[in-house]
Amino acid sequence: MATIFEKIVKGKLPADIVYQDDQVTAFRDIHPAAPTHILIVPNKPIPTVNDVQPEDEPLLGHMIYVAKLLAEKEGIAKDGYRLIINCNQHGGQEVYHLHLHLIGGRPLGPMVVRK
């Protein structure tokens, strides 16, 4: 069954798409954690980081490069931003289609709350 992200990539669901090419699609998160919160997803469905294959290596590098481009376009590159990939339940993954969060536009605080 197609994920919500697959449907967005294929144009079957609306989204605020800020970038798209033959490898990735980037769109604004509908529940942003910061002023800039963009999801960068591979157009090829990969459920989790655990499902990445050796042939996906260039795609993953492209995702990071697109994040850099979007950070510049959003005006957050100079002050800084965070890139996050969640994996499975304990990692906080909600949609099982690999995605990279680009978050910035304000100080983000600690990455993980220490116990």
Side-chain angles (χ1 to χ4, degrees):
M1 188 169 174
T3 68
I4 189 170
F5 292 169
E6 286 178 75
K7 292 175 183 176
I8 289 170
V9 167
K10 293 178 180 177
K12 295 182 179 180
L13 281 179
D16 185 0
I17 294 175
V18 295
Y19 181 92
Q20 189 166 40
D21 64 23
D22 62 330
Q23 296 182 75
V24 301
T25 300
F27 49 90
R28 297 195 187 279
D29 193 296
I30 60 170
H31 300 293
T36 295
H37 190 163
I38 295 171
L39 303 178
I40 302 162
V41 304
N43 294 342
K44 166 188 172 181
I46 302 171
T48 74
V49 171
N50 294 337
D51 299 297
V52 169
Q53 299 300 310
E55 61 268 16
D56 297 322
E57 195 172 335
L59 172 60
L60 299 177
H62 184 64
M63 289 172 67
I64 293 172
Y65 179 71
V66 168
K68 174 222 175 230
L69 294 177
L70 291 171
E72 291 171 348
K73 182 179 175 186
E74 292 286 312
I76 62 171
K78 182 179 177 186
D79 286 338
Y81 52 93
R82 185 169 294 159
L83 300 177
I84 301 171
I85 297 176
N86 299 318
C87 184
N88 284 330
Q89 184 179 4
H90 284 194
Q93 187 172 3
E94 295 177 358
V95 177
Y96 284 81
H97 184 132
L98 180 73
H99 53 287
L100 176 66
H101 295 258
L102 166 61
I103 302 172
R106 67 168 174 81
L108 297 173
M111 206 163 58
V112 176
V113 176
R114 300 191 194 292
K115 291 188 176 193

